Amino acid sequence: MSSQAEKPSGTQTITTPSRRELDTAIARFRALNGQRMQRMMDTLTARQGDFLHLLPLLFHCNYPQLPGYVTASTPCGISGYAATEDTRKAVSRLARNISIRSPAVRRFPIYGLYIMGSVGTVAYSKSSDLDIWLCHAPFLEADELEALGEKAKAVELWAATLDLEVHFFFMDVDQFRSGVGCPISKESTGSIQHHLLLEEFYRSAFFIAGRIPIWWLVPPEHEHSYGLYTDMLKGSGLVAESEYLDFGGLESMPADEFLAASLWHLYKAIASPHKSLLKLLLMESYASEYPAVEWVSTQLKRAVYGGLVDANSLDPYILMYRKVEQYLDAKGEHERLELARQSFYLKANEALSQDSTGRSNQQRRSTLLGLIQEWGWGNRQLHILDSRRRRMLLSMIEERKEIVRGLRGCYQSIRQFSGEHVQTTSYEDQEVVLIGRMLFAALEKKPGKVDIFAVDQEKGVEEQEFSLCQVRMADETYGWCLYIGRIRPADARRRDPVKKASSLLEILVWMVANGIYNAQTHFTIETIHSILPSQELSRVMKLLDKFLAHNVHEGDSLDVYLSPSKIQNVCLLINVGEESAVTRIATQPAYTGRNDPFCYGMNQSSLVISTEQISLTSWREVMTHRYEGLEGLFECLCDIYNQAGEGQAKPGFQSHCLIPTRGDAIARRVQQLYDDLGRVFCTAAERQPRYVVRGERSFYIFSRREGVLRYDKAASVERLLQVMSLPIPEFSPVRFDPIALDGLPLPDICALNREGVVQVFAMSDKQNVDMFILDERGSLYFRRHASSQVQQVLNPYATFLEAVQQRYALAGGSAVEYHWVAKGSGNEYVIEKISFVARGISSKIDIRVIGQEMAPGRVAYTIYTDEREFSTMEDGRELFKRAAEYVYQRRQSGERYPIYVTDMDVPVSAMGIDSQSQLQTIYFLKYKDKIEAMLSTGGEPVT
């Protein structure tokens, strides 16, 4: 007989149950548990069944003869456990002469064993794993828990020999009830899903041994007052502490936890949709009822308390489906409801379109057949879904479309719940953003991105024969189509391709990434203008398979989505299908030292015809891109470094060229250039370096401007010198590829360049003196003088640079350095630093040019030549002609060799700049050349 309690709960009064009522509830839950045990045993082999029978005994006693034994002192003993007859028989099959006795302990250290998940349900299959909760006493010390953990690990290893995947999770129930120390598994994020993990436990946990959950004894109408009701049970003496475990109640649920749980299941559903989508939709249905949620576990308990004890009717997965079905049907979302049904069916892993005579799955087949009849599915629908299970390619493609639509709908519901119930400043709001980015990365289409089928990590397809056809696209470019089976070109026009792409590699990577390709896959290839031998195609596929297998990993953290997507690993395939084009170039007459694949032979041709890039990003995207020609390769390398981000570690990189004609040399050259660019631009050694590479008959100057790596093209050595002479805002040294310039000293000269120093290099032969001047920012001045007298050429430069230094202090007061350049015994150059001071020569005529801005764009000049002064005001257009004639007349030799300016002071606007802060020595040297040219020709004044 029930009695009236003293404490009310809201408008409902808590009544104290009789012991008979409690025993009835316990008996019903145990009966339901027994039916689920039998359903599970029906799916196991005899040896796997022995594992289940032995499981509690292994933790109740330490027997050296049984699996899992570590030491005799390992904590053991389960509250209230007694070995069953099935357990004794299982022991006898493993070891003889074992007398089962309970351990001599005052307090049992293990309170209970439970199996979580699909065990004993319609969703359980041979591939399902067993997550076992081992609930232990709070008095166990750290070393005791460690020893118990070693035993659990040994039991897991033994289970693996029986083809069972078992995982133990230790739990202190008191800590769990307070939200601390929740078990973390592949299906749970632990404490951030405390209540929802508990709800899943109550509806699906499989009791093995030990104490029962006190939740069994709380009637469904008192779920909202769980705490008060359990306090009453404990205080009344109706239940002893040694009988139960109190995991806590579900009276209230923080909105943040709902959001976190939904995000987690969406996260898992992206990679494993069949396994997680139904749970995700369940979270969505719960969220729609928040805060007055009708839990599935409460529905199950209500049925048990009503007298229904039937494992088929109360199958946790069917109850979960019913909850989702009710929610989606009420919203009229029939497309997502169909997706939920398909996910449920595929998770059950039972192909109903095929006959089965095995006794072990007849009950499950009968249950599933009843459901599909209710859903109105016919044989055609079953064949389509079972073909997905067999991984028929066309079915997989259609399935992906459905999954994408379903997941997008779930994400929109999560965002709506977040906006209505969660403050936008919470941590979970950031998770919403990150999950959105993950969803974008996984599902959104963009050019060159490879679609990955999210089908629970299964690999392989039933089809083994494919045709690859090169076709002319609507925009008159060439592309590729993939067909199932062997297709003739004439028939291809009448067939829809499985996949179409502008690049062959995009199709091949798509096949490898989705497990469509394997060693048995056979291709028929039809091309228009390229040739792809089957041997080369086979090598490409194996290489792609290896690259993706080594570098594509399933991620467990959302942290990668905190920052923009960056390239992490890159594979370049050079000249795929281009063997004939490369062979034509490579067979031209060779030229001594001209074996560079970028500048090959007498014609200086590039052996790089095309570049196929496969890149893996930090957002776990697989991208492809095709580049044409040598400049395409250079663009590719720039793109890699730019997408990796400035200041970041350079991405992992590999280069391959699989054609027989100089393929290895081409791949090594590309790898070398990639490494050189990384060394120059991804280290902190120099702030703004430039790097010069020769390609065909041109030169390519790589530089990073405003954080972007790019290149400029110079069509000749002369044009290269012009580009290097351009003024620059800060110090930017030039470094050269080792084989960029043959027989020229420029790479050696530039290697000595230092910031804030003007460096003069002089090199002479019998006819000429070459002057190279690197200014304080790295701009290069070059001029060839028709003279064999180095002193005669160098002296005016020294005088001029000394005057500029004194007037403007451009190099920070540093002295100008002078170097002598000479050719060594081979092709190398020897550079020697020398001491040089401008010498006063009695016959030398100093020429100073002074400029004054009269109006914007108009400068008046005065030229001082020792004793004479010439000016625009006095001489007008004849200024430079008269000054030059005077100099020639003053020369004792009477020779008309070039006139050199020794000092200059002109407004900055005359040199094309706005302020004095922009000044650098190269401006003065170039303007000096202009003045000297006007003096030599007698031309009009420059303005």
Side-chain angles (χ1 to χ4, degrees), residues 789-844:
Q789 302 298 318
V790 177
Q791 181 75 27
Q792 185 183 36
V793 173
L794 192 54
N795 203 70
Y797 279 101
T799 304
F800 180 80
L801 291 172
E802 181 180 335
V804 170
Q805 288 288 313
Q806 291 178 352
R807 192 182 301 278
Y808 295 98
L810 296 178
S814 301
V816 180
E817 292 183 355
Y818 295 89
H819 301 262
W820 174 252
V821 182
K823 200 160 191 178
S825 57
N827 288 326
E828 79 283 0
Y829 285 87
V830 178
I831 300 179
E832 180 184 358
K833 186 177 179 180
I834 61 175
S835 297
F836 185 85
V837 178
R839 299 176 184 175
I841 303 174
S842 59
S843 60
K844 179 176 71 73

Side-chain angles (χ1 to χ4, degrees), residues 5-130:
E6 297 180 1
K7 296 181 179 180
S9 175
T11 58
Q12 186 179 17
T13 302
I14 295 177
T15 57
T16 303
S18 67
R19 184 68 218 187
R20 181 178 179 181
E21 289 173 323
L22 296 179
D23 289 341
T24 298
I26 294 172
R28 286 174 179 172
F29 275 108
R30 286 188 179 276
L32 180 62
N33 199 79
Q35 292 179 28
R36 290 185 62 190
M37 166 71 86
Q38 187 57 52
R39 290 177 68 175
M40 182 180 180
M41 295 298 294
D42 289 343
T43 65
L44 301 178
T45 66
R47 295 181 66 219
Q48 290 172 335
D50 283 348
F51 170 84
L52 208 59
H53 289 310
L54 286 170
L55 177 61
L57 180 64
L58 299 181
F59 288 92
H60 189 61
C61 306
N62 288 319
Y63 292 115
Q65 305 96 316
L66 294 180
Y69 177 80
V70 179
T71 67
S73 62
T74 301
C76 64
I78 302 176
S79 296
Y81 173 72
T84 65
E85 185 62 27
D86 288 331
T87 298
R88 296 179 184 277
K89 290 178 181 179
V91 170
S92 66
R93 286 190 286 270
L94 279 181
R96 297 182 179 181
N97 303 321
I98 293 181
S99 177
I100 301 177
R101 300 184 303 273
S102 291
V105 295
R106 295 178 59 188
R107 296 183 298 176
F108 288 106
I110 301 174
Y111 288 167
L113 289 175
Y114 298 85
I115 302 180
M116 277 281 288
S118 61
V119 173
T121 73
V122 70
Y124 182 79
S125 66
K126 294 179 181 179
S127 62
S128 299
D129 54 1
L130 304 179

Side-chain angles (χ1 to χ4, degrees), residues 781 783 880-881 884 888 898-901 925-942:
Y781 171 86
R783 184 171 173 182
F880 288 96
K881 182 178 180 181
Y888 292 143
I899 299 173
Y900 300 114
V901 174
L925 290 169
K926 287 186 173 184
Y927 210 81
K928 173 179 178 292
D929 278 353
K930 289 183 179 181
I931 297 292
E932 291 173 351
M934 301 306 292
L935 288 168
S936 298
T937 61
E940 296 183 5
V942 293

Side-chain angles (χ1 to χ4, degrees), residues 512-697:
V512 173
N514 288 294
I516 300 168
Y517 166 81
N518 56 43
Q520 287 71 47
T521 303
H522 181 265
F523 291 100
T524 299
I525 307 171
E526 296 290 343
T527 65
I528 296 176
H529 66 80
S530 63
I531 299 174
L532 185 62
S534 58
Q535 185 178 7
E536 182 183 350
L537 177 60
S538 177
R539 292 181 66 192
V540 168
M541 297 302 283
K542 291 177 181 177
L543 191 151
L544 293 175
D545 192 27
K546 182 178 180 180
F547 173 71
L548 294 177
H550 286 184
N551 295 292
V552 176
H553 308 289
E554 181 183 357
D556 295 324
S557 172
L558 289 174
D559 290 348
V560 295
Y561 302 101
L562 287 168
S563 55
S565 177
K566 297 181 178 64
I567 287 182
Q568 290 189 320
N569 288 282
V570 178
C571 177
L572 295 191
L573 288 172
I574 313 296
N575 297 338
V576 174
E578 304 287 357
E579 180 181 351
S580 59
V582 175
T583 301
R584 284 195 303 270
I585 299 171
T587 54
Q588 64 178 275
Y591 179 74
T592 303
R594 192 71 75 200
N595 294 321
D596 180 9
F598 298 163
C599 182
Y600 186 83
M602 293 189 66
N603 294 334
Q604 303 180 44
S605 303
S606 168
L607 297 183
V608 177
I609 309 301
S610 65
T611 301
E612 304 279 359
Q613 175 188 330
I614 305 97
S615 55
L616 310 177
T617 75
S618 57
W619 284 15
R620 302 171 189 130
E621 300 163 295
V622 181
M623 308 293 298
T624 65
H625 194 87
R626 178 180 172 87
Y627 298 84
E628 299 290 343
L630 182 63
E631 292 189 11
L633 170 65
F634 294 161
E635 290 172 11
C636 171
L637 297 179
C638 288
D639 289 345
I640 293 171
Y641 281 113
N642 289 332
Q643 292 170 33
E646 187 177 8
Q648 304 296 317
K650 67 178 186 178
F653 181 88
Q654 50 185 268
S655 171
H656 303 274
C657 184
L658 303 180
I659 61 175
T661 305
R662 304 194 66 80
D664 290 343
I666 295 170
R668 285 195 303 271
R669 183 68 171 107
V670 173
Q671 181 74 51
Q672 176 200 354
L673 178 57
Y674 176 80
D675 292 340
D676 288 345
L677 291 175
R679 174 177 50 80
V680 173
F681 294 104
C682 293
T683 65
E686 296 172 326
R687 291 198 306 272
Q688 293 291 334
R690 290 170 284 173
Y691 192 70
V692 178
V693 178
R694 186 164 189 170
E696 299 176 322
R697 298 177 182 273

